[in-house]
Amino acid sequence: MLFAVGISFFIAQTNLEYIESYLYDLRVRAKIGDTVSDNVELIYITPQTVQLYKGFPSAKEQIALLQALATHRTKAIAYDFILDETPGSINDKNAWEAAIISTPHVYVAGRTTQMKGEEDQLFLADPLEKVATIPAPKTTDLVNFAKDGVTRRMILTYQDQTMLPVRLAALVNPQAADLPSLRGLFDFYGTDQAYIDFHAAKSYPSTSFESILNGQADLSRFKDKIVIVGTDLGLNEAEYITTPFSRDVMAMTRIEMQANIIDTLIKNSAPIKVSKYISWLFILIASILTTQVVLTMKPTRGLLVLGATLTGFILISAIAFWTLGLWLPMAAPLLTILLCYYFFIPYRLIVENRRSWEYYQKNKLLSQVEELKTNFISMMSHDLKTPIARIQGMTDVILSDNIALSTQQREAVDTIKHSSDDLLKFINAILSYGRIESQGVQLNLQSKDINNLLQEVIRKHEFLAKVKRIQIVSELEPMFPVPVDPELMKQVFSNLVENAIKYSPEDTKIMVSSEETDTKVIVQVADQGPGIPQDELQNIFMKFFRSKNVKSSPIKGSGLGLYLAKYFTELHRGSIFVESSHGNGSTFTVELPIEQGGTHA
C-alpha cells in the first residue's frame, strides 16, 4: 500500500500537461448539441475579395463598409487585421481614421499587449495615428502548458488593461466585465486568463467583404450584433490558430477565435479546471483501488473491475465536462492505474509462484509421508497376520483337544479366540484401506447371484446374532446373476450386517432384503438400533469416522467399515446411502447396476 501511495506521489509531481490537454481536446470534440449564442457576425476579406478589387480593399472601400454597417445599427464593429498595411491615399486614410473615431463602438484589435508606460504604442502609425488599438492577443501553448501549439486559453486582463473581447462581450452581457464573477478564472504571470469554450470552425455566421459593398448581403442581420472584420487569405500563419478540434496550422481564423472568446464570456461558459488537490485525490484513489484489485482479486475478475472503473471514470469525466463544464483530470489517474497494474502484476506473480512452489513442496512431502504411512500399515498388517494366525491355530487346537478344561480356562480360550478374530478383521480392514490408498484394488467380475452372497453373509453372522438374541430376517426376491466381484461385495454386505448386529439392542430384528428393477439390484439392511444423529449422516462414510455416541461405548470399530463399503460399491459403479433418525434405527441401501462395462448378466 505504501508503494502504491509512493507511485501516486511520483505521478502527482510529473508534468502530464501534453497528455492531459490531448484528453481535454477529445472531450471538446465529442461535445454534443453545443450551439453559439447568435451575437457575433464575421466579415472576411478573402482571395476572391482581393481578386475583385485588384488588391487588398483600400481605405475608401473600408469607409464604405463601415458606413454600411453603422447605418444598420450594429452593436459593435471590431477590426482584427493590420490596418497600417491597408492601401489608399493619405486623404482616404485620414477620412477612414475620422470615421473610426466618430462611429460609436468601433474598435481595432491589437496583436500584442503593452506594459504600463507603453500606452503610446497602442496607437497606429501615421496617418492613422489617432486610432487606438485594444489588445486582443491569441494564446498558444508553446512554452507553457501542453507545449503543443494549440490555442485553448484567452487573456482577459494584463496589468489592469482589459482585453478587447471582454469589452465587446460586456456590451451584450455586462456581467462579463465583472471578472471575479466569471467561471474558470485563473492567474498566470500577472494576467487573468480562462479557457475558451470552443466550437468547431465555421460555427459562426460569416459574410464576404465584397457581398456587403455589392448589396448582395442582407444587412439587417447585422443589427445589434458584434461584427468582427478580418482576413482569410491563407497567406500568413499569424492570421490562424490551431484548436482542440484540429492541429492544422490554419484550423481556424483569428476572428473566429475572437468570436469563440466573446461567446464564452457572454454565456459565461468557460471550462473550469479543477484544482491540483482534487487531481491528487483522484491519483491516490486510483493507486489504492488498482493495488487492492491486483493483489486481492482473481486476474479475470480484476481486469473486469479495472475495465469497468476505467470506463466509468472516462464517462464521468466526459459527462462532467459536457454538462457542467468541469475539466476533471484524466491523464494522471489513468497513468496511475496502468503503472500500478504493471508494477503489481509481476509482484503478484512472484508471490503466487512462491506459494505454488511451497504448496508443491508440501504436497510432495505429504505424498511421501502418505506413501510411507501406507507402506508401514501394509507391512505391519501383513506381519501381524502371521502371529494372529498362530494364536487362532493354537486356540483351535486347545478347543479341539480331548483334555478337559475348567470353566475359567475355556472362557479364557474363548476370549483369546474372539479377540484374535476381532483383531484379524481390523487388520483385514487396514489392508483393504492400504490397497485403496495405493490404488491397488482391481475388480474381479464374475456373474453371481446376489442372494447367494447375502445368504452366505447371513450364515456367517448367525452365531454373533444369536449371542445377542437378534433375529436376522431375510426377504430376497429371485433375480438373475449380475457381474460383481464376490469377495468385495461380501465384504460390503458383511460390514453392513455386522454393524447392524453391533449397534442393535438385544431381542430386536434385522431385516435384509433384495429386489431387482430394470436397471439395478437393490439390497437393504435395516436395524432397530439407536440410529444416527442428523448432523453425522453426511460424515458416516468418511474413513476413520466414528459417531460421538459410540466412541465411549464398549463397541469397538476401526471407522473403516462403511468407508470400504462405499468405496467397493462405487467401484462397481453403484451407490450406497443411509436413512436414519436418532433413536429410530438405520436403513442402509446398496444399489448395483445390472450392467457392468456394457456387459449384461
Side-chain angles (χ1 to χ4, degrees), residues 24-40:
Y24 168 81
D25 294 348
L26 292 179
R27 280 170 276 182
V28 173
R29 295 175 197 173
K31 200 171 182 180
I32 301 172
D34 194 27
T35 58
V36 299
S37 66
D38 196 30
N39 288 299
V40 182

Side-chain angles (χ1 to χ4, degrees), residues 526-568:
D527 62 54
Q528 297 176 330
I532 304 169
Q534 194 68 28
D535 60 339
E536 294 183 356
L537 285 176
Q538 59 184 354
N539 302 322
I540 199 69
F541 294 103
M542 290 176 59
K543 55 187 174 183
F544 302 117
F545 176 82
R546 298 198 73 206
S547 173
K548 58 187 177 182
N549 294 330
V550 300
K551 286 181 180 179
S552 57
S553 72
I555 301 174
K556 304 301 179 183
S558 63
L560 287 172
L562 292 179
Y563 167 74
L564 295 174
K566 178 178 175 65
Y567 181 84
F568 293 151

Side-chain angles (χ1 to χ4, degrees), residues 56-160:
F56 196 86
S58 65
K60 185 180 291 186
E61 290 154 350
Q62 297 288 354
I63 293 172
L65 176 71
L66 182 58
Q67 290 174 345
L69 295 175
T71 302
H72 286 80
R73 298 170 59 188
T74 58
K75 190 173 289 291
I77 300 171
Y79 292 102
D80 194 349
F81 61 89
I82 302 176
L83 273 64
D84 293 332
E85 297 178 358
T86 303
S89 65
I90 293 177
N91 291 334
D92 290 341
K93 289 187 176 182
N94 286 333
W96 187 25
E97 176 188 61
I100 291 173
I101 295 172
S102 61
T103 305
H105 301 302
V106 177
Y107 305 92
V108 177
R111 299 297 176 90
T112 60
T113 57
Q114 284 74 34
M115 299 178 63
K116 289 182 179 180
E118 297 179 340
E119 288 79 3
D120 57 324
Q121 297 182 17
L122 294 174
F123 290 87
L124 299 177
D126 185 57
L128 300 173
E129 71 276 6
K130 295 181 181 179
V131 177
T133 62
I134 303 176
K138 71 174 183 179
T139 60
T140 304
D141 292 348
L142 290 174
V143 178
N144 298 295
F145 298 94
K147 300 180 183 180
D148 55 3
V150 176
T151 295
R152 299 182 181 88
R153 299 167 290 114
M154 54 182 172
I155 298 177
L156 305 180
T157 66
Y158 174 65
Q159 292 193 348
D160 299 329

Side-chain angles (χ1 to χ4, degrees), residues 374-504:
T374 304
N375 292 338
F376 174 76
I377 290 174
S378 298
M379 181 184 67
M380 290 299 296
S381 300
H382 279 291
D383 289 345
L384 286 173
K385 287 187 73 174
T386 300
I388 290 174
R390 291 174 182 169
I391 294 172
Q392 288 180 320
M394 296 304 294
T395 54
D396 289 340
V397 169
I398 295 173
L399 291 175
S400 61
D401 199 342
N402 294 327
I403 299 175
L405 298 175
S406 66
T407 303
Q408 187 176 3
Q409 288 174 330
R410 180 167 292 278
E411 288 179 356
V413 173
D414 287 339
T415 301
I416 293 172
K417 180 176 177 56
H418 292 155
S419 297
S420 61
D421 289 342
D422 290 340
L423 185 56
L424 184 60
K425 291 177 183 178
F426 177 76
I427 290 173
N428 287 332
I430 292 294
L431 285 173
S432 298
Y433 169 70
R435 286 161 55 201
I436 291 172
E437 291 294 295
S438 61
Q439 299 180 347
V441 178
Q442 298 293 331
L443 284 179
N444 180 23
L445 294 178
Q446 302 175 28
S447 292
K448 292 290 183 180
D449 187 342
I450 295 297
N451 289 339
N452 291 339
L453 299 181
L454 288 172
Q455 288 170 349
E456 185 177 344
V457 169
I458 292 172
R459 283 196 300 271
K460 180 180 177 181
H461 291 85
E462 279 181 344
F463 178 76
L464 182 61
K466 287 180 180 179
V467 171
K468 295 184 67 174
R469 299 190 298 279
I470 293 175
Q471 182 182 0
I472 301 178
V473 180
S474 60
E475 293 183 358
L476 309 179
E477 292 185 0
M479 60 182 65
F480 289 103
V482 295
V484 295
D485 186 318
E487 295 303 320
L488 294 185
M489 289 313 303
K490 280 195 292 185
Q491 188 170 346
V492 172
F493 299 145
S494 293
N495 288 341
L496 296 181
V497 172
E498 186 174 338
N499 280 350
I501 296 172
K502 278 184 182 180
Y503 296 109
S504 295

Side-chain angles (χ1 to χ4, degrees), residues 37 39-40 75-76 107 154 156 162-179 182 226 228 258-268:
S37 66
N39 288 299
V40 182
K75 190 173 289 291
Y107 305 92
M154 54 182 172
L156 305 180
T162 302
M163 301 296 108
L164 177 58
V166 179
R167 297 190 184 188
L168 294 174
L171 297 175
V172 178
N173 180 14
Q175 187 182 5
D178 182 18
L179 293 182
L182 296 179
I226 298 172
I228 307 175
Q258 303 293 3
N260 275 280
I261 294 173
I262 294 168
D263 214 18
T264 300
L265 295 172
I266 290 173
K267 296 191 296 182
N268 195 17

